[in-house]
Structure formats: C-alpha cells, structure tokens
Amino acid sequence: MNCTCASKHCKHKPFVNLHCHSSFSALDGAAHISDYIKLAKEYGHPSLALTDHGNMSGTFELHEKCKKAGIKPIIGMEAYLNDNMDKTEEKKYEGSDTHQVILVKDKIGFENLSKLTYLSFSEGYYRRGRITTEWLLENKKGLIVTTSCLANKLARLLEEGKESEAEERIKMFKREFGDDFYAELQFNEVEQQKKYNHFILKMIKKHDLCPIITNDVHYAYPEDNRLQDVLIAINQG
C-alpha cells in the first residue's frame, strides 16, 4: 500500500483504498488486516475497505480494529461471478469465473452482501463460492459496485473483441445502480490494464460515470512481495 504521507503538513490529500485483499483471500493475499490499519493511520487515510476474494471472513476483525484506530471501515468483497455456472463444463471452470467488487453502503447493504455470500456457497459453489449477475441485481439495495479489475467480466469481453457487449453491460449497471456504480481505474505496468483503462475512460465520458482510483492491493509492505509470490505459486501449482 504505497502512498505519500497525508498528514496536516503534507500537500497531498488523504486517500481511501477501496480494493484491498488480506490473508482471508486464501493463497492470494499476504497481508494482515492490522498492517493495513497501521498504514492507513500512519498516512492519514480516513477509511479503509476490505474486498477479499469470495468471502466476508475479515469483516468483524476489520470493523473492531478500525473502530479502535479511529478509521471508518468499509465492508466489501470481490465476488466470483459466473453467469454460466449451470452450463459450464468442469474443464472450462478456470476461465469462466470473473471478479466483481461489491461494497456495503448501509445496514441493508450489509444484509444483502451477507445473503449473496450465503448464496455463493449454498447454491453457486464449485471449488469456491460464486454468484450470478441476476443474484446481484436481485439483492442490489444498499450496495455499491465498481467496474473492478482486469479479471472483471468487462475486461473479459474486451479481450474477446466484444466492446459493444461490454458497453451494454456498463449501461445495465448504470441503470440498475445509478450513482452507486463507479468506474474503477488502476495504474500498473500491465499492458492489458492500459487498454482497459482506455475503455473505462471512454465510458466515463460517454455515460457520465463517477471514476475512482484504486490499486489491487495484496500485501502491505514492499518486502512482503516474496511471500506473495510464494502464495501465488502454491495457488497455481
């Protein structure tokens, strides 16, 4: 979580990271929640979001520790989304799930995200909990969604040369979620990210979307990159 100090003596404004993975993202996140909170406090970040893969297991710890540190916790999840889970053969599993960032706006949103998490394991489970777009829309009240990272369905459609279909999905989310739908921009060295950002920027202008800048954070300190690599290596066999 690299950022510039945001103390009262610093010219930079406070930053809120809305895309953080902890060790509750099994074999995908190397950070402890307490490390994120320590850094958020150090850099003057007023809030901190937790978006672990497919689960809300870190919610209680985030809430309790943020409260003690005087930081507002933002509860969320990066859900695994699959609209073909009943039609997809097992051998095609790895390529069929996409990522969807969901953030809780209020009490109703917490109840709905909890319901989606339950559904993902009770009805959508295959190697991991999954939801459908239909389930998300049926339980959308009190939730905030973003265009998410490169593993999102929009990026997948662009990769397949289906830009018009990706735009239709943008329009659908804007229609369903209104101002609770945000265009997520990330800046890294991945070539595909530049192409995805170009598309998102075009959609922001065309459909009057509100942009947010995030980083797909999986560890707290630079020296933890080796541990992160080991986790990913184990994950991918």
Side-chain angles (χ1 to χ4, degrees):
M1 191 146 77
N2 299 321
C3 44
T4 308
C5 174
S7 71
K8 62 182 179 180
H9 302 296
C10 183
K11 64 181 180 179
H12 296 281
K13 293 182 179 179
F15 179 73
V16 176
N17 206 319
L18 299 171
H19 197 135
C20 290
H21 297 276
S22 73
S23 54
F24 287 105
S25 289
L27 294 179
D28 200 272
H32 293 294
I33 291 172
S34 55
D35 288 334
Y36 284 149
I37 294 171
K38 181 182 177 182
L39 286 170
K41 188 78 175 173
E42 182 182 335
Y43 294 136
H45 297 178
S47 303
L48 176 68
L50 188 66
T51 54
D52 278 315
H53 282 304
N55 73 82
M56 296 170 66
S57 300
T59 298
F60 181 77
E61 183 180 342
L62 177 79
H63 182 268
E64 292 302 296
K65 290 184 176 178
C66 275
K67 199 163 63 170
K68 286 181 182 177
I71 294 169
K72 180 181 178 180
I74 300 174
I75 297 165
M77 178 173 76
E78 187 167 27
Y80 292 111
L81 190 144
N82 191 326
D83 290 327
N84 299 303
M85 61 175 72
D86 294 327
K87 309 166 191 174
T88 307
E89 293 179 18
E90 183 172 335
K91 64 182 180 181
K92 295 181 181 178
Y93 157 77
E94 290 297 346
S96 57
D97 291 351
T98 56
H99 296 181
Q100 179 59 59
V101 171
I102 308 171
L103 301 171
V104 166
K105 186 178 178 182
D106 51 30
K107 184 179 178 181
I108 295 173
F110 177 76
E111 291 171 357
N112 280 329
L113 186 56
S114 298
K115 182 179 177 182
L116 284 169
T117 307
Y118 172 76
L119 284 171
S120 75
F121 285 97
S122 63
E123 297 184 31
Y125 187 83
Y126 177 68
R127 297 189 185 178
R128 53 195 181 194
R130 306 173 299 167
I131 65 170
T132 67
T133 302
E134 183 181 358
W135 296 351
L136 176 58
L137 297 183
E138 286 173 353
N139 299 280
K140 67 182 180 180
K141 196 169 182 183
L143 295 178
I144 293 169
V145 294
T146 78
T147 52
S148 309
C149 64
L150 273 178
N152 179 265
K153 191 166 184 176
L154 295 170
R156 185 70 54 80
L157 290 169
L158 288 177
E159 208 176 304
E160 296 170 355
K162 301 174 181 177
E163 184 171 328
S164 59
E165 197 172 325
E167 183 172 0
E168 286 303 311
R169 188 169 177 82
I170 288 271
K171 288 160 67 176
M172 181 270 290
F173 269 89
K174 175 69 175 176
R175 184 173 62 249
E176 294 287 341
F177 287 91
D179 292 338
D180 291 329
F181 175 47
Y182 289 83
E184 186 170 344
L185 293 163
Q186 297 183 2
F187 298 96
N188 52 53
E189 298 173 7
V190 180
E191 194 59 38
Q192 288 171 293
Q193 185 72 58
K194 296 175 185 177
K195 296 176 183 177
Y196 186 49
N197 283 351
H198 179 74
F199 169 74
I200 295 298
L201 286 167
K202 189 163 66 172
M203 294 297 102
I204 288 170
K205 187 175 181 180
K206 191 171 181 179
H207 300 291
D208 192 29
L209 305 178
C210 184
I212 56 171
I213 295 175
T214 73
N215 207 355
D216 201 349
V217 181
H218 286 76
Y219 54 94
Y221 300 100
E223 58 269 24
D224 293 337
N225 66 336
R226 181 169 173 76
L227 174 58
Q228 177 68 18
D229 285 345
V230 171
L231 288 175
I232 296 300
I234 295 170
N235 192 346
Q236 297 180 353

